[in-house]
Amino acid sequence: MAAKPLVSAAIAIAALAVVPFVASGSEYAIEVLFLIFLYGAMATAWNLLGGFAGQVSFGHAAFLGIGAYATTIMTSSGVSLWLAVPVSALLAGAYSLVIGIPAFRLRGPYFSIGTIGIGEATRLIALNWTSLTGGASGLTLASAPPLVQQYFAALALLVAAVGLAAWIRTSRFGYALAAVRQDTDAAETLGVATTVAKTQALFLSACILGVAGSVYALHYLFISPDSVFGFSTSIALVIMPIIGGLGTVTGPLIGAVVYTFIREQFAATLANADLLAFGVLLIAIVVFEPRGILGIADRIRGARKKPARVEATDA
Amino acid sequence: MQRSFLASVCAAVACALIASATPVETRADNGPSEVVVGAVLPLTGEESRVGTYFKAAYELATKEINDHGGLQLRQYGRKIPVKLVIYDDKTDPATSRNLYERLAVQDHVDAMLGGYSTDLVQAQTVVPNQHQIPYVGGGGAASAIYKRGFKTIFSLLASIENLAYTECDFIEEMQAQKKLPKPLRMAVVFENTPHGQDFAKGLAIRAKAKPQNFQIVMNESFDLHGKDFTPLLQKVKGANANAFMSDAHLDDYITMQRQYAQAGLRHAYVTYGARGPEKSARDALGKNADYIVAASWWNQLIPNAAVKAFDEKWAKAYPKLNAEWYSALPYETARTLFIAMTETGSVDKAKVVETLRKIDIRDTVLPGGHIKFEANGQINAPFVVTENLPDGKTVIVYPHAEKTGDAVLPVPGT
Amino acid sequence: MSYGLALIYGVLKIINLANAGFLMLGAYVTWWLFTSFHVHPLLAPLVIVPLFFALGWGLERTLVRRVLHAEPIISLLLLFGVWLVLQNLAYVIWTGDTRSIETAFVEATVNAGGLLLSVPRIYVFVMGVLVLIALQLFLTRTYLGRAIRATAQDRDAARLVGVDVDRVMGIAFGIGIALAGFGGSLLSLLFSFTPDFGRALSLKSFCIVVLGGLDSIVGVAFGAVALALAEGFGVRYMPASLQNLISFVVLVVVLVALPKGIAGTVRALRRGS
């Protein structure tokens, strides 16, 4: 059973790796896939803390932003990408440790509200620390690696993130996180070091987001406090895993596909219709199927299996 | 679980390939069927007042060309109509950048016209630079935009630093006429963007050079598109200044001036940089907009024949829209692009950029009388200083070539 | 607005992120009534309060009820979704252009011994105090009010005593939303607004509610005053643009150090726990 997912994943990756060479005429297709990979990685990272550990954070854009700004500032000063990206990831991770200390003293909904505050505070700091970040006007990069290279970088990041999530899911660490999600106090009494587990999950998700931020900056060539630290970015990170399936391995990726698709459709047309659609989707999912698309898929599969089971018991 | 992963990946690839099936123009040797020019403007959001004017101006210029059959391009030996594609960026820099990318990658534009407002222009210009597409703008004035070494970006808006110097020149003249105190104690508040920073920098440089004329007693920035400036204005009150020098965009100007009046503030000299005489502001502020001084890139009252002709043309096409600088500048911007393409004789992007670098257009409504770009892509044109007089009147007070009346300074009652 | 949050939290034990949306909606409805029907903004609340009460009550019955028994995070997400819908619906209907209400009242100022005070601000302040008094009286003197407080303290015990808990929850939610809408209507007199209006204010109001203690209306009032003072002082010593940062810092500090808020801590201290 364990081989099956690996095989189909390998096939999928191989297929995706070939796309840029097959569809070389269509820059747009490559770009859309790139975005899906990037958002998929970001959503998967968020899910480590939000889905696996059950700590819903509305401020995760902070780590994306740190990665983006750190890489932009470093490469503009001549630092090589190979050094800048890991350093940015570690900076994001370090920041997560710092804010984790006060943040994890809060539980459940309080934690979530606290993260809104942290996300906004980080944005305001970036906005006002003009000498470092350029303030409201943001920073621009003069050049970028070719789109194909970015494509593979994003694909690699996605594979790494999903792979990490899959590995965590069935590891002791993953079970600890699940215990925290179910009932933090009970987990404590059972001997799970809950705060340590939460901090580890936060650190990992922050690092991945830090790398994603670097890729983001290199793609868009323009970052500003509103675009990377903004609340709408944090919202996106929350919406994707919920739509796809909170706490699952591939749910965030599915959510990312839906998100990218809807956004691209509405990009040039009706103002904000995409966020409106997401809001409606969010309500629908929360009310009817909190497990998201994967949950719906499970239900359908369950419904299809039912007739067979009934026959078996009859016989 | 693994099945859905595979399924989602296949779905993604399929979607992307289908969505990307946009037919690419096949060009025969006698040229494209139309010249595609794109722009992304703030049609909704905080800058929508000005954004909608830009759209109207671009459309007017395009219509004029198309009414004559299109652009006469030598290389193809015929006139080719212009297709104008405009998107709304909702006054968000990231959206603006993404939509310019869309213009480049999906709509395959031959050239780009600029958007409006420094932050949006700062963000969006990375795209024409990356794709090496000629971009002519009339909406981003901060010098930081042009210091990045981008080679295909051109602007008809002179820099804000020059704006500050022009106002200072005018103030010195007023001080010589004993209409303003010497030194002038200025409380400077500026928006936290390169636009505002240029303004503050210009004033600081002049104050350092001529301390007997100018003293800066307060110097603070504020966030763009703010809603509440009262704490800031309280600080201004305590600064004991006799001049209030603000640099803000249109909607912040309206909000701030309203709160300025509510707080009971008075100064001998009040300016909002480039903002002041706009009709929408005067309508919103009523008598609270009186006596405000502004330095602008253009004004409909400039007493020369070309400007008068433009005023008439604009009034005829858009009777409901006043002729502001954001009517004339984008119009001239589009005209400049079209002239450049005609002179080049083709839509070859690199050649059009070359033409723009060397162009020198003499028949224009801009003050200074000609359109010519410096090495960094920005124009070096003079400003006109206006003052709002009661009953909705406006008068151009400086420089002498464009003057229509005398300034009423200091503000009565101070 | 913060009263509404406190009320909803107290009774339903859920944190209403959609309050910001209703605040913004209150401002827009006031504007719409003003520009389309020439209703004076001071009269708008007469329409808004009942309308929003009905909206809140309806929302509770249809959506919120379903998620009351799930993890608290689910209701948080639900209301977050509602807020997203409200905000973007506003963008679609009214676009992102800045709107403001301009009448003589809005511009009026009055001279009080050398201090120039803005009339709308005085009005809003007075209204705030009146609402506080009215709410406190309602909660302590009327049957319904006491039923609400009982439900907030212990839902099952209230049921045992004969309180119709379902009805109470619907009413509490309705009142909360109506307060938000009223708040929005008042604020439209002071500021110009876009659909993004609620967000910064919503965070401040969370801050206030947490400062004051999520269970006490009077505590909320203290929280509001405390925050206003903190911001006022802060502005003297740091750039005005960092003003919003103050409330967030306070929020985080209070959440960590005083999880029960000021009133809660005071109460706990009094009980000697």
Side-chain angles (χ1 to χ4, degrees), chain C:
Chain C
M1 178 183 162
S2 307
Y3 303 145
L5 264 181
L7 195 61
I8 290 179
Y9 179 75
V11 176
L12 295 135
K13 296 283 181 276
I14 55 179
I15 303 204
N16 184 8
L17 281 175
N19 242 29
F22 287 109
L23 181 88
M24 177 267 298
L25 202 60
Y28 269 97
V29 172
T30 307
W31 178 84
W32 176 66
L33 287 174
F34 177 65
T35 50
S36 307
F37 302 112
H38 300 292
V39 174
H40 195 282
L42 291 182
L43 295 174
L46 290 175
V47 171
I48 288 183
V49 170
L51 177 65
F52 277 57
F53 177 82
L55 273 175
W57 187 79
L59 190 64
E60 200 273 334
R61 302 221 71 174
T62 51
L63 292 174
V64 176
R65 188 153 299 190
R66 292 183 191 234
V67 299
L68 275 177
H69 302 287
E71 303 171 324
I73 199 64
I74 299 281
S75 55
L76 190 74
L77 289 169
L78 171 69
L79 288 163
F80 181 71
V82 170
W83 175 45
L84 264 185
V85 170
L86 283 175
Q87 187 182 41
N88 290 287
L89 206 54
Y91 267 113
V92 169
I93 298 177
W94 288 297
T95 81
D97 291 347
T98 313
R99 311 278 176 197
S100 58
I101 299 188
E102 293 145 24
T103 68
F105 179 77
V106 169
E107 313 270 328
T109 55
V110 80
N111 206 322
L115 265 180
L116 213 58
L117 295 170
S118 146
V119 172
R121 278 179 199 255
I122 300 177
Y123 176 72
V124 169
F125 177 70
V126 167
M127 277 290 131
V129 172
L130 283 179
V131 167
L132 170 63
I133 298 175
L135 206 51
Q136 191 67 347
L137 284 174
F138 172 71
L139 287 175
T140 47
R141 300 285 175 84
T142 69
Y143 174 74
L144 196 53
R146 278 181 283 175
I148 290 179
R149 279 166 65 218
T151 315
Q153 281 187 342
D154 189 332
R155 204 176 288 172
D156 296 317
R159 218 177 255 141
L160 280 175
V161 187
V163 172
D164 182 348
V165 167
D166 287 338
R167 216 185 79 159
V168 163
M169 296 208 283
I171 292 179
F173 204 83
I175 296 179
I177 300 293
L179 284 170
F182 182 54
S185 178
L186 287 178
L187 285 171
S188 71
L189 295 170
L190 299 178
F191 302 115
S192 52
F193 47 89
T194 65
D196 210 29
F197 190 41
R199 197 163 43 93
L201 288 159
S202 148
L203 280 154
K204 280 198 204 173
S205 93
F206 272 124
C207 185
I208 291 172
V209 171
V210 166
L211 254 185
L214 283 158
D215 296 335
S216 150
I217 296 290
V218 177
V220 168
F222 277 121
V225 173
L227 185 65
L229 284 174
E231 280 191 358
F233 273 123
V235 162
R236 290 210 161 271
Y237 300 113
M238 57 174 92
S241 45
L242 286 176
Q243 190 188 9
N244 284 329
L245 194 53
I246 298 176
S247 51
F248 298 138
V249 170
V250 171
L251 177 65
V252 175
V253 165
V254 170
L255 275 177
V256 172
L258 292 167
K260 292 209 192 69
I262 295 179
T265 316
V266 166
R267 221 183 284 140
L269 283 173
R270 251 200 251 140
R271 270 192 234 129
S273 60

Side-chain angles (χ1 to χ4, degrees), chain A residues 22-59:
Chain A
V22 164
S24 58
S26 176
E27 211 180 317
Y28 183 59
I30 301 178
E31 170 134 8
V32 170
L33 283 175
F34 165 82
L35 287 174
I36 291 179
F37 298 158
L38 186 61
Y39 289 140
M42 284 160 45
T44 307
W46 182 92
N47 198 33
L48 290 178
L49 185 68
F52 287 5
Q55 310 294 312
V56 173
S57 157
F58 284 108

Side-chain angles (χ1 to χ4, degrees), chain A residues 257-284:
Chain A
V257 172
V258 173
Y259 179 80
T260 309
F261 194 62
I262 292 185
R263 248 182 59 146
E264 287 299 304
Q265 280 302 100
F266 285 116
T269 56
L270 200 54
N272 294 79
D274 53 345
L275 280 177
L276 183 61
F278 290 132
V280 173
L281 209 52
L282 185 61
I283 295 178

Side-chain angles (χ1 to χ4, degrees), chain B residues 99-148:
Chain B
L99 289 172
Y100 267 99
E101 175 111 37
R102 190 194 183 95
L103 285 174
V105 168
Q106 281 185 273
D107 298 296
H108 305 287
V109 294
D110 296 300
M112 293 173 169
L113 288 173
Y116 170 65
S117 166
T118 295
D119 334 352
L120 300 180
V121 172
Q122 172 103 341
Q124 70 199 208
T125 39
V126 297
V127 175
N129 181 55
Q130 194 187 14
H131 296 267
Q132 296 287 295
I133 299 179
Y135 169 106
V136 187
S143 48
I145 300 175
Y146 310 100
K147 288 197 174 129
R148 297 174 291 178

Side-chain angles (χ1 to χ4, degrees), chain B residues 51 75 135 214 238 275 284 323:
Chain B
Q75 185 162 329
Y135 169 106
F214 302 101
R275 324 293 159 205

